[in-house]
Amino acid sequence: MQLFPCIDIVSLFVPWRRALCALPLVLTTATVASVVDDFGAFIAFVSALTCPFLAIIFPCMFALKLDREMSMMKRRFLWICIVLGVIVIISGTATSLNSLLHPQKNPC
């Protein structure tokens, strides 16, 4: 997966800039992976914060913003989806933060 598609364009002009852009990302990931005890719980925490925004809230907000002449029923449905997305963020973040702060002992 390519995180920064613009790197290819920039690297055409300055070849070393690709490494300059990728190095902080790799170092940050390695630091977090070595500092955090349960990396899976950390990934669950980050996912609980970001995924509902990308999958639920932003598409509904964009639809509300772009289509001003939609029916009231569709508008209400989108707002219900946004509220449910916020509830998912709060509950998912609380659950993952709890598992991050209070890790369970593995029986294995």
Side-chain angles (χ1 to χ4, degrees):
M1 183 173 106
Q2 188 171 357
L3 295 176
F4 303 110
C6 62
I7 290 177
D8 288 337
I9 298 169
V10 171
S11 66
L12 292 175
F13 302 108
V14 184
W16 54 268
R17 194 157 302 196
R18 182 180 185 99
L20 188 65
C21 292
L23 185 65
L25 181 66
V26 171
L27 290 177
T28 303
T29 304
T31 302
V32 168
S34 63
V35 170
V36 175
D37 290 335
D38 190 3
F39 192 64
F42 179 73
I43 292 298
F45 174 70
V46 172
S47 297
L49 280 174
T50 58
C51 290
F53 279 111
L54 294 174
I56 301 169
I57 295 175
F58 287 157
C60 293
M61 291 176 70
F62 294 151
L64 285 170
K65 183 73 173 176
L66 293 175
D67 189 8
R68 296 279 186 185
E69 298 175 3
M70 72 175 67
S71 67
M72 185 58 76
M73 187 170 198
K74 186 175 179 182
R75 189 176 295 277
R76 285 182 186 160
F77 176 74
L78 290 174
W79 276 108
I80 289 171
C81 287
I82 291 172
V83 170
L84 289 175
V86 170
I87 291 170
V88 167
I89 289 172
I90 292 170
S91 64
T93 302
T95 303
S96 62
L97 191 60
N98 186 30
S99 68
L100 186 63
L101 295 177
H102 306 292
Q104 297 178 359
K105 295 178 183 175
N106 291 334
C108 297

